[in-house]
mmCIF file with all atom_site columns, all heavy atoms in Angstrom:
data_model
loop_
_atom_site.group_PDB
_atom_site.id
_atom_site.type_symbol
_atom_site.label_atom_id
_atom_site.label_alt_id
_atom_site.label_comp_id
_atom_site.label_asym_id
_atom_site.label_entity_id
_atom_site.label_seq_id
_atom_site.pdbx_PDB_ins_code
_atom_site.Cartn_x
_atom_site.Cartn_y
_atom_site.Cartn_z
_atom_site.occupancy
_atom_site.B_iso_or_equiv
_atom_site.pdbx_formal_charge
_atom_site.auth_seq_id
_atom_site.auth_comp_id
_atom_site.auth_asym_id
_atom_site.auth_atom_id
_atom_site.pdbx_PDB_model_num
ATOM 1  N N   . ASN E 1 13 ? 1.028   -2.389 18.274 1.00 92.00 ? 13 ASN E N   1
ATOM 2  C CA  . ASN E 1 13 ? -0.097  -3.318 18.307 1.00 92.00 ? 13 ASN E CA  1
ATOM 3  C C   . ASN E 1 13 ? -1.446  -2.626 18.149 1.00 92.00 ? 13 ASN E C   1
ATOM 4  O O   . ASN E 1 13 ? -2.461  -3.120 18.620 1.00 92.00 ? 13 ASN E O   1
ATOM 5  C CB  . ASN E 1 13 ? -0.071  -4.110 19.616 1.00 92.00 ? 13 ASN E CB  1
ATOM 6  C CG  . ASN E 1 13 ? 1.089   -5.068 19.688 1.00 92.00 ? 13 ASN E CG  1
ATOM 7  O OD1 . ASN E 1 13 ? 1.069   -6.131 19.079 1.00 92.00 ? 13 ASN E OD1 1
ATOM 8  N ND2 . ASN E 1 13 ? 2.135   -4.678 20.416 1.00 92.00 ? 13 ASN E ND2 1
ATOM 9  N N   . ARG E 1 14 ? -1.440  -1.473 17.495 1.00 93.00 ? 14 ARG E N   1
ATOM 10 C CA  . ARG E 1 14 ? -2.700  -0.773 17.237 1.00 93.00 ? 14 ARG E CA  1
ATOM 11 C C   . ARG E 1 14 ? -2.644  -0.137 15.858 1.00 93.00 ? 14 ARG E C   1
ATOM 12 O O   . ARG E 1 14 ? -1.579  -0.038 15.244 1.00 93.00 ? 14 ARG E O   1
ATOM 13 C CB  . ARG E 1 14 ? -2.953  0.307  18.285 1.00 93.00 ? 14 ARG E CB  1
ATOM 14 C CG  . ARG E 1 14 ? -2.031  1.523  18.181 1.00 93.00 ? 14 ARG E CG  1
ATOM 15 C CD  . ARG E 1 14 ? -2.288  2.507  19.308 1.00 93.00 ? 14 ARG E CD  1
ATOM 16 N NE  . ARG E 1 14 ? -1.433  3.689  19.230 1.00 93.00 ? 14 ARG E NE  1
ATOM 17 C CZ  . ARG E 1 14 ? -1.856  4.899  18.871 1.00 93.00 ? 14 ARG E CZ  1
ATOM 18 N NH1 . ARG E 1 14 ? -3.118  5.087  18.535 1.00 93.00 ? 14 ARG E NH1 1
ATOM 19 N NH2 . ARG E 1 14 ? -1.027  5.925  18.838 1.00 93.00 ? 14 ARG E NH2 1
ATOM 20 N N   . PHE E 1 15 ? -3.798  0.251  15.364 1.00 95.00 ? 15 PHE E N   1
ATOM 21 C CA  . PHE E 1 15 ? -3.852  1.007  14.116 1.00 95.00 ? 15 PHE E CA  1
ATOM 22 C C   . PHE E 1 15 ? -4.913  2.078  14.224 1.00 95.00 ? 15 PHE E C   1
ATOM 23 O O   . PHE E 1 15 ? -5.848  1.991  15.017 1.00 95.00 ? 15 PHE E O   1
ATOM 24 C CB  . PHE E 1 15 ? -4.108  0.094  12.912 1.00 95.00 ? 15 PHE E CB  1
ATOM 25 C CG  . PHE E 1 15 ? -5.427  -0.643 12.934 1.00 95.00 ? 15 PHE E CG  1
ATOM 26 C CD1 . PHE E 1 15 ? -6.572  -0.081 12.386 1.00 95.00 ? 15 PHE E CD1 1
ATOM 27 C CD2 . PHE E 1 15 ? -5.518  -1.905 13.499 1.00 95.00 ? 15 PHE E CD2 1
ATOM 28 C CE1 . PHE E 1 15 ? -7.785  -0.749 12.401 1.00 95.00 ? 15 PHE E CE1 1
ATOM 29 C CE2 . PHE E 1 15 ? -6.725  -2.590 13.529 1.00 95.00 ? 15 PHE E CE2 1
ATOM 30 C CZ  . PHE E 1 15 ? -7.863  -2.021 12.975 1.00 95.00 ? 15 PHE E CZ  1
ATOM 31 N N   . VAL E 1 16 ? -4.732  3.123  13.420 1.00 96.00 ? 16 VAL E N   1
ATOM 32 C CA  . VAL E 1 16 ? -5.683  4.221  13.367 1.00 96.00 ? 16 VAL E CA  1
ATOM 33 C C   . VAL E 1 16 ? -6.260  4.292  11.964 1.00 96.00 ? 16 VAL E C   1
ATOM 34 O O   . VAL E 1 16 ? -5.687  3.755  11.008 1.00 96.00 ? 16 VAL E O   1
ATOM 35 C CB  . VAL E 1 16 ? -5.019  5.562  13.745 1.00 96.00 ? 16 VAL E CB  1
ATOM 36 C CG1 . VAL E 1 16 ? -4.522  5.532  15.176 1.00 96.00 ? 16 VAL E CG1 1
ATOM 37 C CG2 . VAL E 1 16 ? -3.861  5.882  12.791 1.00 96.00 ? 16 VAL E CG2 1
ATOM 38 N N   . ILE E 1 17 ? -7.397  4.945  11.832 1.00 97.00 ? 17 ILE E N   1
ATOM 39 C CA  . ILE E 1 17 ? -8.059  5.085  10.535 1.00 97.00 ? 17 ILE E CA  1
ATOM 40 C C   . ILE E 1 17 ? -7.858  6.502  10.018 1.00 97.00 ? 17 ILE E C   1
ATOM 41 O O   . ILE E 1 17 ? -8.122  7.473  10.722 1.00 97.00 ? 17 ILE E O   1
ATOM 42 C CB  . ILE E 1 17 ? -9.552  4.750  10.647 1.00 97.00 ? 17 ILE E CB  1
ATOM 43 C CG1 . ILE E 1 17 ? -9.729  3.264  11.006 1.00 97.00 ? 17 ILE E CG1 1
ATOM 44 C CG2 . ILE E 1 17 ? -10.286 5.068  9.343  1.00 97.00 ? 17 ILE E CG2 1
ATOM 45 C CD1 . ILE E 1 17 ? -11.159 2.855  11.273 1.00 97.00 ? 17 ILE E CD1 1
ATOM 46 N N   . ARG E 1 18 ? -7.336  6.609  8.816  1.00 97.00 ? 18 ARG E N   1
ATOM 47 C CA  . ARG E 1 18 ? -7.168  7.896  8.137  1.00 97.00 ? 18 ARG E CA  1
ATOM 48 C C   . ARG E 1 18 ? -8.110  7.936  6.935  1.00 97.00 ? 18 ARG E C   1
ATOM 49 O O   . ARG E 1 18 ? -8.378  6.906  6.309  1.00 97.00 ? 18 ARG E O   1
ATOM 50 C CB  . ARG E 1 18 ? -5.735  8.072  7.637  1.00 97.00 ? 18 ARG E CB  1
ATOM 51 C CG  . ARG E 1 18 ? -4.655  7.773  8.648  1.00 97.00 ? 18 ARG E CG  1
ATOM 52 C CD  . ARG E 1 18 ? -4.527  8.859  9.676  1.00 97.00 ? 18 ARG E CD  1
ATOM 53 N NE  . ARG E 1 18 ? -3.316  8.687  10.479 1.00 97.00 ? 18 ARG E NE  1
ATOM 54 C CZ  . ARG E 1 18 ? -3.135  9.211  11.676 1.00 97.00 ? 18 ARG E CZ  1
ATOM 55 N NH1 . ARG E 1 18 ? -4.076  9.962  12.211 1.00 97.00 ? 18 ARG E NH1 1
ATOM 56 N NH2 . ARG E 1 18 ? -2.009  9.001  12.348 1.00 97.00 ? 18 ARG E NH2 1
#
Side-chain angles (χ1 to χ4, degrees):
N13 291 283
R14 71 184 181 107
F15 62 89
V16 297
I17 295 174
R18 311 285 191 201

